Amino acid sequence: MSNVGIVIVSHSPLVAEGTADMVRQMVGDEVPLAWCGGNGHGGLGTNVEAIMGAIDKAWSEAGVAILVDLGGAETNSEMAVEMIGEPRAQKIIVCNAPIVEGAVMAATESSGGASLKEVVATAHELSPS
């Protein structure tokens, strides 16, 4: 059985890469992982095509959880999932949780064989009430 993939989407490529580095150090190569950030011109922002590429890189039949930092990242991630379409879109969830802590905890759950629903629930537990 494959583990749930994790995608990290941040407006800052440095934040996305740093978060991915933390995840990799915590869980090794057991979890499919990809990140993207920035607007493609060296500035802050997110890009739907880059998000789609990250989803492809982290793809797992167990599903993919996308961790986002701000509203624009969430909106562009939702657009990317819509553009990917069915049947894969059914296995992708955009998770609006604290990006660093959420990614680390989601990946830890994934590495233990948790389902997509369990991985996302663990990340959401970190969100303020």
Side-chain angles (χ1 to χ4, degrees):
M1 183 174 125
S2 60
N3 291 327
V4 171
I6 305 293
V7 170
I8 299 161
V9 180
S10 174
H11 282 72
S12 166
L14 297 175
V15 169
E17 183 178 21
T19 301
D21 185 49
M22 289 181 69
V23 167
R24 193 54 73 211
Q25 288 187 42
M26 297 294 289
V27 300
D29 293 327
E30 294 179 39
V31 174
L33 175 67
W35 63 270
C36 60
N39 65 7
H41 302 290
L44 297 178
T46 59
N47 178 289
V48 172
E49 291 79 19
I51 296 167
M52 291 173 70
I55 293 168
D56 286 341
K57 184 175 180 187
W59 180 253
S60 166
E61 284 302 316
V64 172
I66 304 174
L67 281 289
V68 298
D69 64 352
L70 299 170
E74 184 174 10
T75 301
N76 281 345
S77 294
E78 290 168 351
M79 287 175 54
V81 172
E82 190 174 307
M83 290 174 70
I84 285 172
E86 299 300 340
R88 288 176 64 193
Q90 296 177 42
K91 295 183 178 185
I92 305 168
I93 298 177
V94 178
C95 183
N96 191 353
I99 192 165
V100 177
E101 300 93 333
V104 169
M105 294 307 297
T108 301
E109 279 293 301
S110 174
S111 70
S115 70
L116 177 60
K117 184 176 179 181
E118 293 166 326
V119 167
V120 170
T122 296
H124 279 153
E125 286 175 6
L126 300 168
S127 297
S129 302

